[in-house]
Amino acid sequence: MIELKYFLMLTLWKVAAALWLCFFNVNTDGFKAIWRAVKLHRHHCQVSLTRRIRIHPTPSSAHASLASNDIDVWNIIKNEYNRQVSGIELIASENFVSNAVMEAVGSCMTNKYSEGLPNARYYGGNQYIDQIEVLCQNRALSLFNLSKLEWGVNVQPYSGSPANFAVYTALLKPGDRIMGLDLPSGGHLTHGYQTSKRKVSATSIFFESKPYKVDPVTGLIDYDQLATLALDFKPKLIIAGASAYPRDWDYARMREICDSVGAYLMADMAHIAGFVATGYAHNPFPHCHVVTTTTHKSLRGPRSGMIFYQLLLGEAINNAVFPALQGGPHNHQIGTFSLY
Ligand SMILES: Cc1ncc(COP(=O)(O)O)c(C=O)c1O
């Protein structure tokens, strides 16, 4: 209707302008004024049309591009993209994903709910979700050369921190003891960080944590000190892994220490997973009960997490992820880090 009204008005204006010019011999300033009035009218028509679309979104607006749907968000994303490509990022946790990852993470996989595990969901419509999760599990296991007879993997953790907390929930009781590398020595918050005044991480709120440290002179992990501390503290879980420890790990020695006190050994290889996969870093799998990782650092995937577990621990780990800690998995992420 608005287009028709606009067309009729325009025609009327044009006829009036032509008559005016022919019969009254007005100068061209008058003609310009008429043309400005036409343009103003056209602008008003467009504005009211846009308002109508905003108030009553049509199916076609759901398919519109981000730029035409929300220019404010589009502008901020464009600015962030320009910041990323025109600067140098020196943040160890970050990486740049490929266009394929961007495409898959923004796909229809984001629409689906799928609580449960492949072939054991709580509702329908999961045939392709199951396929992508199984593909993801298979590729994750083969990336680290793991046999399905010994290892399983849960690919549903939303990120590295929830993956770690799921392991604690699965293997420990509230108040049980854990040991991780101290945060000032390069460890991660989720490995139990606390100060004398504050229990900073949820790990230290719900479990009793004692850190081991690097030697202040060499900067290397003092495994002898760890062994002595562990004998005294008797942790139920010891964590190998760090956010800022630029040396490799002696997993065999750590397993020895764990065995001496009856503790589980967990490796959090979030930062070095890419090096483990390619053989440039020691392999934690032959020594650990559980290995966690993020997928967005050296694996260069979308932001997510994984827990690799020895099969005997599978039920406890899977139950800790869902239903204990999480709800529906983020299928757009799972689908995306299945990508080669
Ligand atoms: C060793 C380690 N584990 C876990 C995490 C947590 O990952 P996210 O930030 O994805 O929760 C990090 C984060 O940088 C990390 O360095």
Side-chain angles (χ1 to χ4, degrees), residues 93 159-162 164 188 190-191 241-243 268 270-271 294 296-297 304:
S93 298
S159 208
S161 305
N164 288 348
H188 188 255
T190 56
H191 298 176
S243 302
D268 174 353
H271 272 267
T294 54
H296 46 277
K297 298 186 176 83
S304 201

Side-chain angles (χ1 to χ4, degrees), residues 202-238:
T203 314
S204 62
I205 295 173
F206 296 108
F207 304 99
E208 207 183 317
S209 113
K210 186 177 195 70
Y212 59 92
K213 304 182 183 198
V214 293
D215 181 303
V217 178
T218 62
L220 300 174
I221 286 165
D222 188 341
Y223 291 100
D224 292 334
Q225 183 217 40
L226 169 59
T228 313
L229 286 176
L231 271 179
D232 184 42
F233 188 61
K234 302 232 169 1
K236 202 155 170 216
L237 175 85
I238 298 181

